[in-house]
Amino acid sequence: MEKRRLGNSDLYVNPVGLGCMGFSHASGDPTEKDLAVRTLREAADMGYDFFDTAEAYTGVNPDGKISYNEELVGEAVKGIRDKVVIATKMGVSHNPDRSLKLDSSPETIRKSVEGSLKKLGTDYIDLYYQHRIDPKVEPETVAETMAQLIKEGKIRYWGISETTEEYLRRANAICPVTAIENRYSMMARWHETIFPVCEELHVAYVAFSPMANGFLTGKYTPDTKFEGSQDYRADMPQYTKEGYAKAKDLLEMLTKMAEEKHATMGQLSLAWMINKKPYIIPIPGSRKPERLRENFEAGNIILTKEEIAAVDAKLDTMSFDVFGGHSAK
């Protein structure tokens, strides 16, 4: 499995990273701390070397205490810190109705980075993202602050999550951006227009929700009982009867491909993007060791350019209802 370079940085990671969010946020009740740390460490032993977390990834434990995702990741990589790349994010908090509160002011960035360093138990962050664009703060201001943090040694590189081309270009002109982290999957392709910009600026594309919040594994249906009020998937459009029906052809295509490649549907959905561009790094998440191993092995699956083009041609004929703000091809 050949490692991939994050932008123009000196960070090299395996082609499948680990989205750690689900251990404490949006996927039901948080995983018990010792189990979460043990599973994350097991993931590192499998070969995962790129761990993605965020300040905003929190949940409420059954005892009422807050589960901080960054703390779980920090505990899991003790003793192997120099062998892994940690990405975390700032600028987002959650309102009671799950809506996002955005704040990327320089003061908040500085307060957040100190909090993240403490929770992670480290003195530097490899890749520090602006979690969402804050319309109240210019990209140049964010980039200037990140440049200062790099100079101070608190972060090594920086990135932007859910960015636009204009925002990326403006920010990059002030302080080079190493990676963007945008939604991307077979069902969510609207950011493909930014690929040429990534190539021009030498920016990595870290793909979150690469399996459409689990949908492309084929393991979930509209009848699935998700894990209570802290599991956001129950409200996602792809899990309604209408949304599921729209994706029927895609699931059938994946099923057939998986049989031909002796792989799982989830692995094929990851391999499709890994083989499409050398700078795309998906970060699927799971709390199950067997699923973590399955996802990681997607990095060994080879799809030809012709196979990828054939998949894309079929996807172009399909329309989906999917979480993320778009209901289209």
Side-chain angles (χ1 to χ4, degrees):
M1 193 177 294
E2 187 175 347
K3 292 193 179 250
R4 302 195 158 196
R5 185 180 183 186
L6 285 166
N8 273 334
S9 74
D10 61 356
L11 303 176
Y12 289 82
V13 297
N14 281 317
V16 180
L18 179 55
C20 303
M21 179 182 75
F23 285 93
S24 55
H25 180 77
S27 296
D29 289 339
T31 304
E32 187 272 326
K33 184 176 180 179
D34 288 346
L35 176 58
V37 170
R38 189 163 63 248
T39 304
L40 286 164
R41 186 56 176 255
E42 189 174 345
D45 292 340
M46 292 176 195
Y48 283 96
D49 55 6
F50 185 28
F51 291 81
D52 183 273
T53 181
E55 176 185 44
Y57 296 163
T58 63
V60 181
N61 288 308
D63 62 4
K65 293 182 179 179
I66 302 297
S67 172
Y68 294 100
N69 200 262
E70 289 177 321
E71 289 184 351
L72 303 179
V73 173
E75 186 70 24
V77 301
K78 279 185 176 179
I80 56 169
R81 176 66 185 92
D82 61 335
K83 295 178 173 60
V84 300
V85 171
I86 295 177
T88 191
K89 313 176 194 72
M90 64 76 202
V92 162
S93 58
H94 290 88
N95 294 311
D97 64 355
R98 296 183 182 175
S99 62
L100 303 183
K101 180 179 180 181
L102 308 178
D103 184 355
S104 290
S105 64
E107 298 77 18
T108 294
I109 294 175
R110 287 196 163 275
K111 181 179 178 180
S112 292
V113 77
E114 295 299 338
S116 291
L117 288 168
K118 183 176 180 180
K119 290 185 180 72
L120 289 165
T122 186
D123 56 5
Y124 68 95
I125 294 165
D126 296 293
L127 181 59
Y128 198 45
Y129 290 108
Q130 180 185 17
H131 203 156
R132 290 291 185 273
I133 292 173
D134 181 352
K136 304 183 301 297
V137 182
E138 299 296 327
E140 291 81 4
T141 300
V142 175
E144 287 167 0
T145 307
M146 293 295 190
Q148 293 168 8
L149 294 177
I150 291 171
K151 186 175 181 180
E152 294 166 17
K154 297 182 186 296
I155 67 175
R156 296 182 66 194
Y157 303 97
W158 83 289
I160 310 165
S161 183
E162 287 287 77
T163 189
T164 63
E165 176 182 346
E166 179 190 6
Y167 194 94
L168 172 59
R169 287 188 181 280
R170 289 175 60 184
N172 187 77
I174 302 300
C175 181
V177 174
T178 292
I180 64 170
E181 185 180 310
N182 282 18
R183 183 179 296 274
Y184 188 52
S185 73
M186 287 183 173
M187 297 176 72
R189 299 170 61 206
W190 47 83
H191 288 304
E192 287 185 346
T193 55
I194 209 168
F195 286 175
V197 185
C198 290
E199 292 162 11
E200 176 191 340
L201 302 180
H202 303 288
V203 173
Y205 190 120
V206 177
F208 77 84
S209 297
M211 293 186 285
N213 300 99
F215 187 89
L216 295 174
T217 65
K219 305 293 185 181
Y220 305 103
T221 73
D223 297 323
T224 299
K225 302 297 181 185
F226 290 104
E227 302 176 34
S229 62
Q230 294 190 74
D231 195 321
Y232 292 7
R233 290 172 293 181
D235 297 327
M236 293 181 179
Q238 63 264 43
Y239 292 118
T240 64
K241 291 187 182 301
E242 295 80 7
Y244 191 83
K246 276 193 171 186
K248 182 181 178 182
D249 289 345
L250 171 57
L251 294 177
E252 289 178 352
M253 179 181 76
L254 271 176
T255 299
K256 182 179 179 181
M257 285 182 62
E259 291 173 352
E260 292 172 350
K261 291 288 184 178
H262 304 289
T264 66
M265 294 167 65
Q267 286 177 328
L268 260 297
S269 65
L270 296 173
W272 165 78
M273 65 177 70
I274 292 169
N275 286 274
K276 177 176 284 195
K277 299 290 184 181
Y279 52 82
I280 294 179
I281 303 165
I283 50 168
S286 180
R287 299 190 279 187
K288 300 175 181 178
E290 62 272 20
R291 189 63 55 74
L292 291 171
R293 186 170 287 104
E294 174 187 317
N295 291 344
F296 186 74
E297 289 302 320
N300 286 319
I301 297 174
I302 303 299
L303 295 180
T304 66
K305 291 182 179 179
E306 291 75 19
E307 288 173 322
I308 293 169
V311 171
D312 287 351
K314 291 180 181 178
L315 291 174
D316 286 341
T317 69
M318 302 176 186
S319 179
F320 308 110
D321 290 338
V322 62
F323 182 74
H326 292 67
S327 177
K329 295 177 182 176

